[in-house]
Amino acid sequence: MPRLAHSRWTLVLWAVLCPGIAQAAESGLPAELHPWGRFKPGAWKLYRVVTETLDEHGKVVDTTTTFTTTTLQATDGPGVLVLRTEAVVEVSGKRLEAQPSLVRQGLHGETAGDKVSILPMTTGEIEIQGRKIPCKIVQVQTSGPNGATVAKTWFSPALAPYVLRRESRTTDATGKSVLSETILQVTAMHVPCDLVPNSDGASQVLVTTTHPKGKTVTKALTSTDVPGGVICHTAEEFDANGRLIRRSTLTLIDYDVTPKKDRSGLFNRLRARGHRSHRAPK
């Protein structure tokens, strides 16, 4: 079974869009600020990711298309979400359906066994399009057997998309080697979007992740009306020498805040479905 092409890009965005927020009793932040936590079980989204791998001359040598449905399966206790993922991968004209998987995670992205520590909340401000926005700032450290992540998040409880900036650093188990650093910043708000016509518009987000082997730059549109937040994105991955080695485009096909009526399997639904979609930003 080929590696699921969608995972590289969606995990990057989910990690940064699921901010370092603990349960309300610890941080004062409600689950409604989480891109999945604001929805009830049964909410889902279907999206397509096209990933191209390039050679040293910039020529595309491999293309993989993945269709993925993610569903909020349940809320397993306070501040814990269970997400179900179904995926179909298109390789050389053939569609291969993977076994469904379940991911159990906390509101700040931690998995079972991780330790979480939260510093007292402070205040500050973020400037977006010349507008200065008062924010609350929370810093969270999540640690597990493979290392630790320290994340600092600027958020506005009253202004979507709520999380306006996030800086995080992940180190190895020794704490001496930096595995990755990520900066998320909202660059524009109230962007018109056909997919969410009755909302206050989408938000434009820029995510830059650097690591010893290079960096990934992702440009996305997000909406608080869409389960998981992400409407579309483009991502480019560069090696340590700055050469583009991979690019990806995610497009939201369909979503709903209520359970899917058709449970005949993702493969059959894709074969029969007419769908709506939104073009990813350039």
Side-chain angles (χ1 to χ4, degrees), residues 42 44 69-71 86 258-263 269 273:
W44 60 274
T69 295
T70 301
T71 304
E86 303 170 81
T258 57
K260 298 186 294 292
K261 294 181 180 180
D262 181 1
R263 297 199 178 268
R269 291 199 302 273
R273 174 185 295 272

Side-chain angles (χ1 to χ4, degrees), residues 153-164:
T153 303
W154 289 254
F155 69 95
S156 171
L159 183 64
Y162 310 124
V163 175
L164 304 181

Side-chain angles (χ1 to χ4, degrees), residues 161-176:
Y162 310 124
V163 175
L164 304 181
R165 184 179 178 89
R166 187 175 189 243
E167 300 174 357
S168 66
R169 171 182 285 196
T170 299
T171 54
D172 64 8
T174 68
K176 297 179 181 180

Side-chain angles (χ1 to χ4, degrees), residues 30-42:
E32 285 74 18
L33 298 191
H34 187 282
W36 281 102
R38 68 176 62 97
F39 296 97
K40 295 180 180 181

Side-chain angles (χ1 to χ4, degrees), residues 84-122:
R84 174 186 173 90
T85 299
E86 303 170 81
V88 170
V89 184
E90 287 188 347
V91 181
S92 302
K94 297 181 180 180
R95 283 184 172 179
L96 305 174
E97 187 166 7
Q99 284 292 109
S101 62
L102 293 178
V103 176
R104 186 176 181 271
Q105 67 171 220
L107 293 179
H108 41 292
E110 82 281 12
T111 57
D114 286 350
K115 296 181 179 179
V116 178
S117 60
I118 305 168
L119 295 181
M121 198 173 296
T122 59

